[in-house]
Amino acid sequence: MSVRVVVADDQDLVRAGLVMILRAQPDIDVVGEAADGLEAVEATTRLRPDVLLVDIRMPGLDGIEVTRRVAGPGVAHPPAVVVITTFDLDEYVLGALRAGARGFLLKDAGPELLVQAIHAAADGDALIAPNVTRRLLAAFADRAPTGPSQPVDPLTEREEEVLALVARGRTNVEIAAELFIGLSTVKSHIASLMAKLGARNRVETALWAYQTGRV
């Protein structure tokens, strides 16, 4: 099945370029576009895409507020949100992820990484541009008010391996290939990790790995 995507960016040329790249993929279907934050919320609510690709700076509502409204805490059946921006600033990344975003890309990331981020988000992964992943997680760790809690049930050796790769920004497909295990097995390990750590998403799982010195 095709991944259904809504693209939201206030710059017409940029939005047209993103749409063109995604529509060139046989398994991605761009079902809607939006030129500002309010349009993005409306289109996402009406069209119910699998993924919302949203710019961080837009008139009306910025990408962080859009993310909070369509995928924040308490939202039923939220889409996966991938934030894309020209601004590589910690507060944007942190704000987007805390609002519920599942991916974060810079606009110079290139078509290949853009497509990977869409698929990763649709599959439940959190893909963050590699050039900001380490700094982002370091920023999370620096701002954490207390030390990380330890799980009641210790992690298995395989879960430790999966955790390290999640913390390095690997997708489920990449983890499966690196560890020579099935994709469903990877998903099971990640679900177990999140349950043991009390993490709400992959980013919090990765943060725990950084805080405990595993990465």
Side-chain angles (χ1 to χ4, degrees), residues 59-189:
L61 301 173
D62 64 20
I64 295 176
E65 181 58 27
V66 170
T67 301
R68 186 175 294 111
R69 293 194 184 190
V70 303
V75 177
H77 309 296
V81 177
V82 175
V83 173
I84 186 167
T85 182
T86 56
F87 304 100
D88 178 13
L89 299 176
D90 285 340
E91 57 266 30
Y92 289 148
V93 187
L94 294 170
L97 292 171
R98 285 170 174 160
R102 196 173 287 172
F104 188 96
L105 289 176
L106 301 181
K107 288 183 179 178
D108 62 1
E112 183 177 353
L113 194 59
L114 170 63
V115 172
Q116 286 182 17
I118 295 296
H119 283 298
D123 290 339
D125 284 359
L127 191 152
I128 305 169
N131 54 335
V132 298
T133 299
R134 184 175 296 275
R135 186 166 52 80
L136 164 66
L137 291 169
F140 258 117
D142 289 345
R143 299 179 192 189
T146 58
S149 60
Q150 297 298 318
V152 175
D153 297 321
L155 305 186
T156 66
E157 182 177 349
R158 180 62 87 187
E159 286 172 346
E160 292 279 7
E161 293 173 336
V162 171
L163 175 64
L165 294 175
V166 168
R168 292 187 173 94
R170 303 291 199 274
T171 66
N172 286 357
V173 172
E174 291 170 334
I175 294 172
E178 191 158 339
L179 297 181
F180 302 101
I181 57 179
L183 188 58
S184 61
T185 303
V186 173
K187 292 180 179 179
S188 295
H189 284 313

Side-chain angles (χ1 to χ4, degrees), residues 21-38:
I21 291 169
L22 296 178
R23 282 185 171 156
Q25 307 302 313
D27 50 2
I28 293 179
D29 181 16
V30 178
V31 297
E33 300 179 37
D36 61 46
L38 290 172

